[in-house]
Amino acid sequence: MLFGLGLISLFTGHVASDLEWYSQRLVKRSFFYSRLEGRRREGIDIWKSKYSNLFYGCSERGRNFPSAIRERASNGYLLIAASGGLNQQRTGITDAVVVARILNATLVVPELDHRSYWKDDRQICRFACSDFVNIFDIDRFISYLAKDVTIVKRVPDKVMRSMEKPPYTMRVPRKSPPEYYLDQVLPILLRRRVVQLTKFDYRLASNLDEELQKLRCRVNYHGLRFTKPIQEIGERLVTKMRKMAKHYIAVHLRFEPDMLAFSGCYFGGGEKERFELREIRKRWATLPDLSPDGERERGKCPLTPHEVGLMLRALGFANNTYLYVASGEIYGGEETLRPLRELFPNFYTKEMLAVEDLKPFLPFSSRLAAIDYIVCDESDVFVTNNNGNMAKILAGRRRYAGHKRTIRPNAKKLSALFMARDQMDWDTFSKKVKASQRGFMGEPDEVRPGRGDFHEYPSCICERPFTDGENSKGEDRLSARIPVNLKEKVQSKYVGENQGDESLQRLKRSMGEEPISLRENEEDEIFPD
């Protein structure tokens, strides 16, 4: 076969790479699997789930969901101090609205903590909206949710003057159910009239009744909108990416020094890295001693930028793919990023796309994070390199928006592959990566309903009804149209774009690959679990 290709190249001036040839064979021989019963399954589109149009976000208020109680008739004022980074605060804001609803309280626009996390030099306003107004559209937040919860910008002066004591401050346990708020918080609210809940992040249980879950979605996906300046610069960056390429990937690297130190992992930087990360780790006195090798085997270590690039190339993304990289300070700087840039030369960040426009935002970390959020949300493919707050929030939002392609590295399986990648040819490595990533590509059937954190797997997603004649037998739509891994093991193939480019050949040579001959039926083999 190779001899024949060589002869052809003498006349055509082109020798197809074995991966290009293999991919073309797969495209020709792939079929659409409309049923589970033994039929072939069509290759997965790496850019978009073909089932995305079957679902939509459904968070409308139910007819029996009573309107919000008026401010004067409410049980009191609820002050919320949201903690952490921007996306952690977003979970706190979302849950604060639901808690106010549970307590029949008037919600004061949450105060966003910046001292403990962002360390921005800004003034906090007491018992008022604080930095919320600089990040989120406060009028939109109040008006959109007016039918659900009464929200005010500050506690009225008249109420504050009438109070004999300062607002009662308390911290509720994480993942508290509604009953806790009714039993422990409501009596104090009725007695003191104003209650402040501090460190408010993930303080509400993940599983609530349907209407409260819908309220969560209305807050997070509709009520919370960034301010006009943030929204405008974010949209400009998206437009620039779209002008350069039809599709683009957004990668949230999360490879900052503090992130790596907290993980307890080792990333190959020798004694210098061990010393530097060990010194950073001393900030957290309660962290246990961890085994770097053990953490990597358990899949707890973020991938390096190089490993992220290898994973994407193995999944089928060509080296001419455009990447938008969202991250803070990268440990190791340009030296760490160089392998990713070589794999994907079309590499961009917000700093590269908007030098002048970005200057007013540079002193404010949370606003910079908001800009990254917008560009990542609008991307065709979003790649997370961790299971942090931004990863969860954006994964949930993209599911709500129709299961837009979201890739989460299966670090537990991938770590072993990266360790052994020099021992296998590129095609074998690629097939194993694709097999490892099954169930981590943002498909609708990846998690059973009711499982997982709500912010990452929102339950306010519905199937679109069938049109006339689409399913005359009344079969279950999801089962009929989606090959669900949990129901039956089926063959699958990832068919990527043409990979016969020079950089891929360098990749294959770096892995010590020798030309391999493909058996006639090799494309019919299933990827191992």
Side-chain angles (χ1 to χ4, degrees), residues 407-518:
I407 300 175
R408 298 174 297 131
N410 183 355
K412 187 173 183 178
K413 289 187 176 182
L414 289 178
S415 61
L417 282 177
F418 290 129
M419 293 287 289
R421 72 177 186 269
D422 293 333
Q423 303 170 21
M424 63 186 83
D425 58 63
W426 175 257
D427 290 283
T428 301
F429 176 75
S430 178
K431 288 170 66 175
K432 289 182 178 293
V433 168
K434 292 166 184 174
S436 298
Q437 283 301 117
R438 280 199 307 224
F440 291 80
M441 299 290 288
E443 291 290 333
D445 62 331
E446 288 181 356
V447 174
R448 287 189 290 258
R451 299 289 295 275
D453 182 84
F454 177 83
H455 296 286
E456 186 175 5
Y457 301 102
S459 58
C460 48
I461 299 174
C462 299
E463 283 189 74
R464 295 189 183 280
F466 272 110
T467 56
D468 292 341
E470 191 173 5
N471 190 6
S472 58
K473 295 182 180 180
E475 298 171 335
D476 176 74
R477 193 158 182 260
L478 185 61
S479 298
R481 300 287 295 274
I482 301 179
V484 184
N485 295 335
L486 293 171
K487 292 187 176 181
E488 183 177 17
K489 289 187 177 180
V490 222
Q491 297 181 10
S492 67
K493 284 284 184 276
Y494 288 73
V495 181
E497 295 183 356
N498 187 330
Q499 294 293 298
D501 53 63
E502 182 181 350
S503 66
L504 182 62
Q505 303 308 313
R506 290 199 303 270
L507 254 180
K508 297 166 79 172
R509 288 196 296 270
S510 70
M511 299 180 70
E513 177 184 350
E514 295 294 328
I516 58 174
S517 60
L518 296 172

Side-chain angles (χ1 to χ4, degrees), residues 105-206:
T106 296
L107 177 66
V108 180
V109 173
E111 177 182 308
L112 306 187
D113 167 41
H114 57 76
R115 292 171 296 181
S116 63
Y117 188 86
W118 294 114
K119 298 181 176 60
D120 291 338
D121 184 18
R122 290 167 285 180
Q123 182 68 34
I124 297 179
C125 54
R126 203 178 181 195
F127 308 134
C129 60
S130 188
D131 284 348
F132 189 102
V133 70
N134 295 318
I135 300 172
F136 297 107
D137 185 336
I138 191 170
D139 294 326
R140 161 82 175 189
F141 180 68
I142 294 173
S143 62
Y144 189 88
L145 299 168
K147 292 183 179 181
D148 298 303
V149 173
T150 298
I151 305 174
V152 297
K153 295 182 180 180
R154 60 183 301 119
V155 177
D157 292 337
K158 182 178 179 180
V159 174
M160 294 298 294
R161 289 194 298 268
S162 67
M163 293 172 57
E164 297 179 358
K165 298 179 180 180
Y168 187 88
T169 300
M170 62 184 299
R171 186 183 303 177
V172 300
R174 292 175 70 84
K175 302 290 185 180
S176 295
E179 292 75 18
Y180 178 90
Y181 288 93
L182 294 174
D183 295 340
Q184 303 296 326
V185 181
L186 181 57
I188 300 174
L189 180 65
L190 292 171
R191 187 169 67 250
R192 299 291 292 269
R193 192 64 179 151
V194 181
V195 169
Q196 183 177 41
L197 303 181
T198 61
K199 295 288 184 182
F200 200 80
D201 60 314
Y202 296 101
R203 304 289 164 174
L204 183 61
S206 188

Side-chain angles (χ1 to χ4, degrees), residues 17 26 53 72 106 184 212 274 279 325 368 396 439 457 488:
S17 72
L26 285 180
N53 63 336
R72 290 186 178 181
T106 296
Q184 303 296 326
L212 291 180
R274 290 189 176 92
E279 289 300 303
V325 177
L368 292 175
Y457 301 102
E488 183 177 17

